[in-house]
């Protein structure tokens, strides 16, 4: 008879494991009140601008995270696919890349390129959360780092929700701002197919599956925590040091 302990060790079937991964979508940042406000049309211009400026820090760090995964991966077949993610963001040939598209989104919401590039709006809480993601990829086995990207399973829905709702709610946002979200619809679907295959093929014991689900939760925590920091600053008007100064005195990264 199986005891509770041995039952815990029974691996989930591939279908059950995939379902457990997909079930994590109920904790995606699409459900964060900050995100809901943007989607529902109640976000202010300052809140949208704050989100775009802070999320830029995520955008510029994604290729560093993916380069760390490549650097830790001895499997050429994996690298051959994974390298595409860096090109998607940095650009290649005629494709201007996601970082450039995000800078255009910044301009479309009224932020200059210089404002985004200087990182002057990046809140410490956002910086720490994104840095935790990059550092996890640097120090982990590439398979664990690959699993942490699986929140992208849920990303097409969130990009689509912005394309569906923002133009109606925020007519002041220029049309050229939406290209990033359009571009990611197909890129995220392709990436996640590869990432999911890695997870399903390499996490075969219950312990490995549980670890993968915990890593995915770590990543969900990062995304949620970024929005918590933005909610403090732009909804509750309590950015860091607000009791002392209204200047953005926070550090811009230590290089
Ligand atoms: O707008 C979003 O809500 C959102 C979320 C995520 C995500 O789930 O990590 C990514 C993106 N966008 C995105 O645009 C992107 O390029 C991306 C790469 C990754 C990753 O973990 O490698 N996540 C995401």
């Amino acid at each position: 008879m199986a005891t509770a302990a041995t039952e815990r060790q029974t691996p989930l079937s591939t279908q059950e494991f995939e379902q457990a991964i997909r079930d994590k979508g109920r904790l995606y940042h699409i459900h964060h009140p900050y995100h809901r406000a943007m989607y529902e049309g109640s976000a202010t211009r300052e809140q949208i601008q704050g989100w775009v400026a802070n999320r830029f820090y995520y955008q510029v760090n994604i290729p560093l995270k993916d380069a760390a995964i490549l650097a830790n991966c001895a499997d050429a077949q994996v690298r051959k696919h994974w390298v595409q993610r860096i090109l998607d963001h940095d650009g290649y040939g005629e494709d201007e890349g996601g970082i450039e598209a995000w800078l255009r989104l910044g301009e479309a919401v009224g932020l200059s390129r210089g404002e985004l590039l200087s990182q002057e709006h990046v809140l410490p809480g956002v910086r720490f959360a994104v840095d935790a993601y990059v550092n996890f990829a640097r120090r982990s086995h590439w398979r664990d780092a690959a699993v942490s990207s699986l929140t992208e399973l849920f990303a097409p829905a969130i990009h689509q929700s912005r394309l569906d709702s923002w133009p109606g709610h925020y007519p002041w946002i220029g049309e050229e701002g939406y290209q990033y979200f359009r571009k990611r619809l197909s890129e995220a679907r392709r990436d996640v197919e590869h990432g999911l295959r890695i997870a399903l093929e390499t996490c075969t014991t219950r312990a490995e599956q549980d670890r993968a689900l915990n890593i995915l939760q770590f990543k969900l925590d990062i995304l949620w925590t970024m929005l918590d920091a933005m909610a403090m600053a732009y909804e509750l008007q309590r950015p860091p040091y607000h009791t002392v100064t209204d200047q953005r005195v926070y550090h811009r990264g230590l290089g």
Side-chain angles (χ1 to χ4, degrees), residues 6-240:
T6 55
E7 230 161 52
R8 269 206 308 276
Q9 301 305 317
T10 309
L12 300 174
S13 68
T14 306
Q15 290 84 349
E16 286 168 336
F17 182 39
E18 179 170 344
Q19 194 53 53
I21 290 172
R22 291 187 185 278
D23 286 347
K24 284 284 185 186
R26 79 192 159 81
L27 301 173
Y28 198 46
H29 62 172
I30 197 169
H31 303 294
H32 193 286
Y34 199 95
H35 236 295
R36 285 191 177 165
M38 290 196 293
Y39 170 74
E40 287 163 3
S42 58
T44 64
R45 183 184 289 245
E46 189 208 10
Q47 285 160 6
I48 301 262
Q49 288 179 335
W51 178 76
V52 170
N54 275 271
R55 255 293 296 263
F56 185 66
Y57 190 63
Y58 190 72
Q59 301 309 130
V60 293
N61 273 282
I62 290 287
L64 299 183
K65 181 272 294 181
D66 287 318
I69 293 177
L70 290 183
N72 289 333
C73 178
D75 184 330
Q77 286 308 312
V78 172
R79 291 202 307 266
K80 186 172 127 182
H81 285 100
W82 207 272
V83 71
Q84 184 61 44
R85 295 173 184 242
I86 297 179
L87 303 178
D88 288 343
H89 288 276
D90 287 345
Y92 179 75
E94 298 293 297
D95 177 5
E96 64 177 12
I99 293 175
E100 175 60 28
W102 200 277
L103 286 166
R104 284 177 203 235
L105 171 62
E107 288 174 323
V109 302
L111 296 164
S112 71
R113 298 167 83 87
E115 254 176 302
L116 256 58
L117 291 165
S118 70
Q119 301 183 1
E120 65 194 83
H121 294 282
V122 178
L123 297 159
V126 168
R127 187 179 290 280
F128 298 148
V130 173
D131 289 353
Y133 187 31
V134 178
N135 287 328
F136 176 73
R138 287 189 174 130
R139 63 166 201 268
S140 302
H141 192 284
W142 65 265
R143 276 174 309 214
D144 284 353
V147 165
S148 69
S149 73
L150 283 181
T151 48
E152 279 208 275
L153 264 175
F154 320 121
I158 206 169
H159 293 309
Q160 189 63 57
S161 78
R162 295 169 191 139
L163 290 167
D164 292 343
S165 69
W166 284 24
H169 293 316
Y170 312 109
W172 52 271
I173 298 180
E175 162 59 26
E176 67 284 6
Y178 293 109
Q179 186 48 29
Y180 181 84
F181 304 137
R182 274 194 213 101
K183 179 173 156 60
R184 284 309 295 171
L185 285 177
S186 55
E187 291 173 355
R189 287 198 182 98
R190 182 211 55 212
D191 288 353
V192 91
E193 218 173 278
H194 183 221
L196 192 56
R197 204 167 59 236
I198 290 171
L200 298 180
E201 286 174 3
T202 61
C203 301
T204 52
T205 69
R206 186 59 188 260
E208 286 165 346
Q209 292 170 338
D210 285 348
R211 179 171 167 74
L213 292 169
N214 197 35
I215 289 170
L216 193 50
Q217 186 59 53
F218 159 79
K219 171 68 174 305
L220 290 163
D221 294 351
I222 285 167
L223 296 172
W224 196 274
T225 300
M226 289 168 66
L227 289 177
D228 280 350
M230 291 183 229
M232 283 290 285
Y234 309 121
E235 278 180 3
L236 302 177
Q237 307 302 330
R238 294 175 69 176

